[in-house]
Amino acid sequence: MDITIYFEEAAQVSFAFVIGAVIGLEREFRSKPAGFRTMILICVGSCLYTILSKESGDNSPDRIASNIVTGIGFIGAGVIFKEGISVNGLTTAALIWITAALGMAIGYHNYPLTIVVAGMVLIALFVLEPVQRFINRLHRVKDYRIHTVSIPPNFKYQIEQFFIEHDMTFRCMKVIKEDSDAIYIYRIGSPDRNYDAINQFLLNHVDVRSFDV
């Protein structure tokens, strides 16, 4: 093999290193589970597997590429976790998935597409974050998971009266019995999008053990 090919492949994995590092910096800055080194390894590893699949002499190099996607799926699933009624880690999982795709694109010498998509990813991570925060402030509905001490007989009536007095829309989504306690899941809409009154009411209520939003 011509030695220039080795230099070309070294340049490919080096470029994958840079792309993974740039994306990983944002995750590291936000203290996410998959950070700087993880994104570098994912991008470089995907690039390397793609290069090897082309050199293997196999008539179906796409099989290795499809296996990369499968393996990345397991890594992505590992960063998704449920906390109360919220699911966290979806953005990081999606970022792992697209970082692997960028590494594969580099392995196939598709540098223009890699640069364009990497730019889109950075715009989504940095530029669009204030837009997302603005949209989140416009949310008129929130889900509350309220865990009560034992099963208070008048709690449901009390909290719903509180909603009515504050002109809030509400719907009891589910009531769950857990050992000797009760869990109420409410979907609540506040006309002024200010949920501090609800939070304060639940914090001060003697029958509330904990609540998640």
Side-chain angles (χ1 to χ4, degrees):
M1 181 182 284
D2 190 348
I3 193 170
T4 57
I5 296 179
Y6 289 111
F7 285 116
E8 181 182 349
E9 292 173 348
Q12 284 179 275
V13 293
S14 298
F15 187 44
F17 182 98
V18 172
I19 293 294
V22 170
I23 295 174
L25 280 173
E26 188 272 343
R27 294 288 91 182
E28 193 71 33
F29 175 74
R30 303 186 192 282
S31 300
K32 298 298 182 180
F36 182 66
R37 292 179 298 176
T38 304
M39 292 301 178
I40 291 175
L41 294 174
I42 288 171
C43 198
V44 171
S46 299
C47 179
L48 179 59
Y49 271 117
T50 304
I51 293 172
L52 295 176
S53 71
K54 294 190 300 179
E55 296 180 351
S56 64
D58 193 340
N59 293 327
S60 301
D62 58 309
R63 289 191 303 175
I64 293 181
S66 64
N67 287 331
I68 293 172
V69 176
T70 302
I72 288 300
F74 284 105
I75 298 175
V79 300
I80 299 174
F81 60 95
K82 190 172 184 296
E83 184 177 357
I85 58 176
S86 301
V87 178
N88 298 315
L90 290 175
T91 301
T92 302
L95 200 58
I96 289 173
W97 176 68
I98 199 167
T99 301
L102 289 170
M104 293 169 65
I106 296 169
Y108 281 113
H109 299 278
N110 201 334
Y111 302 114
L113 182 62
T114 301
I115 294 172
V116 170
V117 174
M120 291 179 176
V121 170
L122 294 176
I123 290 172
L125 292 175
F126 289 101
V127 180
L128 296 184
E129 186 190 10
V131 177
Q132 183 179 357
R133 287 201 301 265
F134 175 75
I135 294 173
N136 288 338
R137 287 199 297 268
L138 297 179
H139 283 177
R140 299 179 64 91
V141 176
K142 287 190 177 183
D143 290 342
Y144 276 75
R145 183 179 185 273
I146 306 166
H147 189 167
T148 62
V149 179
S150 68
I151 305 177
N154 297 321
F155 177 76
K156 191 171 185 293
Y157 171 78
Q158 292 172 3
I159 192 170
E160 291 182 358
Q161 280 298 116
F162 176 83
F163 297 151
I164 294 170
E165 291 170 3
H166 289 78
D167 297 322
M168 297 177 180
T169 58
F170 63 91
R171 182 155 66 101
C172 185
M173 307 291 291
K174 189 182 294 185
V175 180
I176 305 168
K177 182 180 180 182
E178 186 174 280
D179 297 328
S180 61
D181 297 344
I183 296 174
Y184 299 86
I185 299 178
Y186 274 94
R187 179 159 292 168
I188 306 167
S190 177
D192 57 358
R193 294 181 288 275
N194 184 2
Y195 294 86
D196 290 340
I198 303 174
N199 298 337
Q200 198 62 41
F201 173 82
L202 295 175
L203 286 171
N204 294 332
H205 202 291
V206 294
D207 292 326
V208 175
R209 186 187 298 275
S210 63
F211 67 92
D212 300 312
V213 183

